[in-house]
Amino acid sequence: MIPLLQGNTCVVGLQWGDEGKGKIVDFLAESADVVVRYCGGANAGHTVRLNGNKYSTHLLPVGILRPNILNLIANGVVLDPDALFKEIDQFIGQGFPVSPANLRISYKTHVVMPWHKAEDAARESASEGNSIGTTRRGIGPCYADKMHRTTAIRVADLVHEETLQRRIGQICADRNKVFKVLYDLPPLDWKEIFETYRDFGRRLQPFVDDTSQRLIDAWKSGQRIVFEGAHAALLDIDHGTYPYVTSSSCSALGLYTGAGAPPNCVQNFVGIMKAYSTRVGGGPFPTEQDNNIGSYIRERGNEYGTTTRRPRRCGWFDAMAVKYSVQLQGITHICLTLLDVLSGLEHLQICTGYKYKGSRLEGFRADMDTLADVEPIYETLPGWNGNITGCRRFEELPKEAQIYVKRLEILAGAPIKMVSIGAERSATLIR
Ligand code: GDP
Ligand code: IMO
Ligand code: MG
């Protein structure tokens, strides 16, 4: 473990996702014993590059890439068993063992069912011009059913086969009426769904556990835990740029309920931010560069979605947004990623404020109508040239890059302790 992090650590995104959380969780997992996913579902895509190979996880914690780590999928996740088993089979095929010895899933985790995916896609297609741009993985409808309660299915329910059959029958009958009227969808076949999910339940059974108890036991026995945040603060259902958000409490604030973790068990909150901004799907994005700058960043940063391959929208670093995320989540350390992508630009712009209806806004407003109307106030810094991925000490970076990092640190309001300058584990500088 890098010396600056004693105790348990939560890794979270400070922007709109895809900040490189996967790479940093993998890096920190070197001396961890347990890695926990606590929110979201197969809408996440976390990439780790190892010795030139690329590994993408959607539901599995990235601790799966290292031996001797217990990986927990906690209650706050929405689990698509079909996606999970495809992922497990893929990792096993690549030589990474996945078994109940290194993966446990909470019995309280909610299950993404075929009707959730159908509804997600149908709602998106029906809301022309107003769509959220979801990943269509059924995330929103599954969390909605979690709140509705009577129409939800949890991992624990999959193994009670008679009850499962009855509930799937009832829910399908209900959904078929609604889907026909609202979206003119063909009816769901309850029997086929039941048989598929019963079989998923049988395969899942050995992995099912009380993950909250597992992590409390691990903590009490002095093991190190890394909480792998998915998505990011600005996509959080309460604190993000609503309604263009995901449907979970995916900021650090959701960690305790999502993981079933006592609040005093986490000491470090590591916020991950890229050296610029990106966003996938709809919603306001004040510093977006829908021009040559945006294309330059997209191509150099390979800014295409890990989950949907959609081109990510790219823009300048937004210090207003990041400062909000840092404060909200009690960030103790920042890791700046993808700094190498900015090499070759003559000048870099940083948004240090917003103008709204002629005057300067005091702080960030996670409100669509305000944010869609703000005009960013920019500060300009000189750029640098050359490939910086080979640098192994912060001081080896071009002077302009060091100045840029130090300026972001002041604006963000927390110390930048790590700087990532390439996708490989080794391309990580500690300050
Ligand atoms: P996550 O969702 O936050 O885990 O991020 P993603 O994996 O979706 O997207 C981050 C992408 O950037 C991945 O393809 C990583 O391999 C890559 N990456 C991470 N850190 C760096 C970096 O410092 N430089 C470069 N060039 N790529 C990076
Ligand atoms: P990681 O963990 C980037 C976005 C979607 C969409 C909105 C709602 O890889 O950083 P959803 O399918 O969740 O209902 O879609 O949220 N979104 C993400 N964008 N990275 C992610 O995860 C995301 N997870 C959800 O693009 O705009
Ligand atoms: Mg991602």
Side-chain angles (χ1 to χ4, degrees):
M1 172 77 69
I2 51 170
L4 57 109
L5 293 181
Q6 296 294 328
N8 300 326
T9 301
C10 176
V11 174
V12 283
L14 295 176
Q15 293 155 319
W16 284 280
D18 305 321
E19 297 91 348
K21 298 176 291 295
K23 172 186 161 162
I24 301 305
V25 171
D26 169 67
F27 183 79
L28 295 175
E30 179 171 358
S31 335
D33 304 289
V34 184
V35 179
V36 190
R37 254 298 290 278
Y38 62 87
C39 65
N43 50 344
H46 298 172
T47 316
V48 178
R49 268 189 192 273
L50 282 182
N51 309 319
N53 297 316
K54 182 177 151 183
Y55 303 101
S56 296
T57 59
H58 301 285
L59 282 162
L60 289 174
V62 300
I64 215 75
L65 294 168
R66 292 187 184 265
N68 305 321
I69 288 200
L70 176 63
N71 294 278
L72 303 179
I73 297 180
N75 57 281
V77 170
V78 286
L79 188 85
D80 177 346
D82 187 32
L84 176 74
F85 289 131
K86 285 191 178 126
E87 207 172 314
I88 289 179
D89 292 342
Q90 191 185 342
F91 274 90
I92 290 175
Q94 288 169 319
F96 295 92
V98 184
S99 77
N102 67 344
L103 175 68
R104 298 295 173 93
I105 300 165
S106 170
Y107 70 89
K108 299 173 188 163
T109 302
H110 281 254
V111 181
V112 176
M113 300 296 292
W115 51 83
H116 295 136
K117 289 187 260 193
E119 183 181 346
D120 196 357
R123 274 177 178 268
E124 284 287 287
S125 304
S127 53
E128 272 162 47
N130 261 329
S131 68
I132 289 178
T134 75
T135 58
R136 302 187 175 212
R137 297 294 188 271
I139 307 299
C142 185
Y143 280 113
D145 271 343
K146 175 176 178 174
M147 295 303 162
H148 285 313
R149 294 156 294 170
T150 49
T151 45
I153 291 181
R154 303 203 302 176
V155 164
D157 302 327
L158 291 181
V159 297
H160 298 293
E161 294 184 4
E162 276 177 29
T163 329
L164 183 70
Q165 177 168 359
R166 186 171 39 79
R167 306 238 0 253
I168 288 181
Q170 282 167 349
I171 297 169
C172 281
D174 173 84
R175 293 292 86 191
N176 283 342
K177 282 186 224 157
V178 174
F179 286 178
K180 174 79 191 132
V181 173
L182 289 185
Y183 311 116
D184 199 23
L185 289 183
L188 300 156
D189 177 348
W190 75 266
K191 194 158 181 285
E192 190 187 321
I193 295 175
F194 163 66
E195 285 166 2
T196 306
Y197 280 71
R198 176 200 59 200
D199 293 349
F200 284 150
R202 289 176 184 173
R203 189 172 170 195
L204 215 49
Q205 195 156 22
F207 296 93
V208 179
D209 203 344
D210 182 342
T211 55
S212 172
Q213 191 62 53
R214 281 283 154 276
L215 78 84
I216 291 169
D217 292 345
W219 172 45
K220 292 273 161 78
S221 65
Q223 297 195 336
R224 274 213 182 117
I225 306 170
V226 175
F227 295 88
E228 177 179 342
H231 328 300
L234 301 176
L235 291 172
D236 183 276
I237 186 75
D238 285 276
H239 302 287
T241 48
Y242 194 88
Y244 294 96
V245 293
T246 188
S247 302
S248 62
S249 296
C250 55
S251 67
L253 283 68
L255 147 69
Y256 311 109
T257 48
N264 57 340
C265 84
V266 192
Q267 291 74 41
N268 311 300
F269 291 89
V270 176
I272 316 296
M273 64 186 197
K274 23 178 92 165
Y276 46 89
S277 308
T278 62
R279 154 155 233 185
V280 203
F285 183 3
T287 63
E288 180 167 15
Q289 299 298 302
D290 192 7
N291 53 30
N292 286 344
I293 299 282
S295 307
Y296 183 85
I297 293 175
R298 186 176 308 108
E299 295 317 312
R300 281 186 56 88
N302 187 26
E303 293 292 359
Y304 292 88
T306 309
T307 302
T308 58
R309 296 308 300 159
R310 285 179 291 177
R312 295 175 183 150
R313 299 157 65 194
C314 299
W316 296 120
F317 186 87
D318 186 339
M320 288 289 277
V322 166
K323 188 176 170 194
Y324 167 83
S325 296
V326 165
Q327 284 184 355
L328 176 75
Q329 303 183 101
I331 295 300
T332 55
H333 309 70
I334 291 179
C335 174
L336 179 71
T337 57
L338 294 130
L339 184 66
D340 52 300
V341 172
L342 296 182
S343 293
L345 288 168
E346 199 177 340
H347 292 104
L348 302 174
Q349 292 199 286
I350 305 174
C351 168
T352 55
Y354 294 149
K355 223 187 209 174
Y356 180 64
K357 296 197 192 299
S359 36
R360 206 178 169 122
L361 273 188
E362 280 306 313
F364 182 77
R365 286 274 300 196
D367 152 44
M368 182 184 82
D369 292 324
T370 309
L371 214 51
D373 240 7
V374 300
E375 193 191 318
I377 301 167
Y378 286 114
E379 185 176 297
T380 304
L381 261 61
W384 60 87
N385 286 312
N387 182 353
I388 61 171
T389 297
C391 295
R392 285 298 167 265
R393 288 189 317 118
F394 182 73
E395 293 69 27
E396 287 172 24
L397 293 173
K399 187 171 83 292
E400 294 81 3
Q402 294 186 36
I403 292 171
Y404 184 71
V405 174
K406 289 175 185 167
R407 185 67 187 135
L408 296 193
E409 178 169 54
I410 289 171
L411 292 167
I416 297 181
K417 292 289 190 184
M418 288 176 255
V419 180
S420 172
I421 47 172
E424 289 278 337
R425 269 180 194 164
S426 53
T428 315
L429 312 177
I430 307 295
R431 286 178 78 211

